[in-house]
Amino acid sequence: MNNFQEKVDLVWKLAELLRGDYKPHEYADVILPLVVLRRLDLAMADKRNAVREAYTKYRGQLAKVDGQLSKAADGSLVYNYSEFGWQRLLDAPGDLAQNLIAYFNGFSPEVLDIIEKFDFRRQVSRLQASNLLYPLLKAFENIDLHPDRVETHEMGYIFEELIRKFS
């Protein structure tokens, strides 16, 4: 559980970056979706190239490519066919907001539904206007939420604890 508390504390500390531009009750609107996106990005990393190749191969040939993309992701409903991953987003800070939207658009329908429920697209322009988007994503780069190192139940505890702290 020590690892659990370290992760919670690290994420909680990132909310401090929002101070001044966001009110405390708004922190969760930014931090919680980023926790989910970071976890998903790390979980998809080893299948990113296969999914991208399948997208390139089947785009325009099939009415719906989702089945082929899921197959390329070893049957997972969580995939992203965009050219972006976390690191590639950070490599172009001047285009980060538009690249992040392109990254969102490349997610599987199931993940897109989650992003829409968080209404995080609305936060992207606000973070960009406040010069917070790059520093926040860069800071999240240091948080390792990879499923090989943070088990699913521990991730649930982390998320629950963050929700409790933000309440």
Side-chain angles (χ1 to χ4, degrees), residues 70-112:
S70 177
K71 189 175 176 182
D74 287 340
S76 176
L77 296 177
V78 176
Y79 57 81
N80 189 308
Y81 63 78
S82 80
E83 62 189 90
F84 300 103
W86 207 272
Q87 187 56 54
R88 181 112 191 261
L89 288 167
L90 293 172
D91 288 344
D95 298 324
L96 183 55
Q98 71 185 29
N99 292 347
L100 188 58
I101 297 300
Y103 176 65
F104 291 164
N105 293 338
F107 274 110
S108 62
E110 291 76 12
V111 177
L112 273 173

Side-chain angles (χ1 to χ4, degrees), residues 24-37:
H25 72 273
E26 297 174 308
Y27 293 175
D29 297 341
V30 174
I31 300 299
L32 294 177
L34 285 174
V35 167
V36 171
L37 286 171

Side-chain angles (χ1 to χ4, degrees), residues 12 33 43 61 67 73 82 93-95 100-101 112 115 141 152 159-160:
W12 180 251
Q61 293 182 18
S82 80
D95 298 324
L100 188 58
I101 297 300
L112 273 173
I115 292 169
E141 180 182 38
T152 303
F159 206 73
E160 282 180 15

